[in-house]
Amino acid sequence: MKKAVFPGSFDPITLGHVDIIERALPLFDEIILAIGINSEKKYMFSLEERVRFLNESFKDEPQIQVMTYNGLTVDFCKEQEAPFLLRGLRNGTDLDYEKAIAQTNFKLSGVESVFLLNSSGKSHISSSIVRDVIRNGGDYSFMVPNAVKK
Ligand code: ADP
């Protein structure tokens, strides 16, 4: 049984995340969408809202579970008996950042990180840009799944 954890803030989930998740579905039997709880970080959407957006977006997908966790992501992977961590890459900056984390995670735990490139046309989408557009009253509907639009 191939199980992966896709960790993130999902503040909010975007079509960039959806793209990575949908492309990972054929690779794993089960994917846990895991929202890390970080009390030091300020979020635009509450934890409950972020969980609801994920649940609504994937309600018809039995391979996907939504969970929240505290502490180290690799400890959560061990707890869930998930040997893989899934992350998405938009560009070289993402790769540089993710590389150090993935190497540290592997040293810490043996959990293997699997990276997927987004499909073309999705690289410009990020939660932070969505939040900026929302704050300034712009149209963000083309960057998020339906659950976030309501
Ligand atoms: P974090 O705060 O951990 O970076 P995010 O919710 O911002 O959490 O991102 C979670 C994962 O989704 C990361 O691996 C990120 O690179 C990936 N991701 C976000 N947007 C995109 C996108 N447009 N294309 C590909 N991957 C993406």
Side-chain angles (χ1 to χ4, degrees):
M1 164 106 161
K2 289 203 197 81
K3 195 167 172 180
V5 167
F6 185 31
S9 310
F10 302 104
D11 186 33
I13 182 172
T14 68
L15 292 182
H17 295 122
V18 172
D19 179 45
I20 296 295
I21 295 162
E22 283 177 345
R23 302 178 67 203
L25 281 173
L27 303 177
F28 300 104
D29 301 304
E30 189 179 335
I31 300 174
I32 301 176
L33 307 181
I35 304 181
I37 299 172
N38 179 349
S39 53
E40 316 241 297
K41 219 167 146 182
K42 286 233 165 203
Y43 298 99
M44 172 171 273
F45 294 96
S46 69
L47 184 61
E48 291 70 29
E49 285 173 308
R50 287 178 284 142
V51 166
R52 179 164 54 79
F53 295 156
L54 293 182
N55 274 323
E56 272 186 43
S57 302
F58 296 101
K59 61 178 185 311
D60 298 323
E61 189 41 75
Q63 269 169 277
I64 292 182
Q65 276 197 69
V66 177
M67 300 179 86
T68 62
Y69 69 99
N70 282 291
L72 286 178
T73 305
V74 287
D75 288 343
F76 178 71
C77 292
K78 290 264 154 186
E79 224 176 272
Q80 296 302 319
E81 297 179 4
F84 302 106
L85 258 174
L86 172 66
R87 296 287 284 177
L89 296 177
R90 282 165 284 209
N91 48 44
T93 311
D94 273 357
L95 175 62
D96 282 346
Y97 173 75
E98 296 288 344
K99 185 178 161 192
I101 297 176
Q103 288 169 337
T104 308
N105 282 338
F106 188 77
K107 276 233 167 204
L108 277 173
S109 65
V111 171
E112 191 71 82
S113 293
V114 175
F115 298 100
L116 287 182
L117 299 174
N118 54 342
S119 37
S120 67
K122 296 286 186 335
S123 300
H124 65 97
I125 304 175
S126 73
S127 296
S128 63
I129 289 179
V130 169
R131 291 195 300 275
D132 235 38
V133 175
I134 292 175
R135 259 186 225 110
N136 292 290
D139 177 15
Y140 59 97
S141 59
F142 64 99
M143 295 187 280
V144 297
N146 284 334
V148 183
K149 291 180 203 167
K150 291 173 202 156

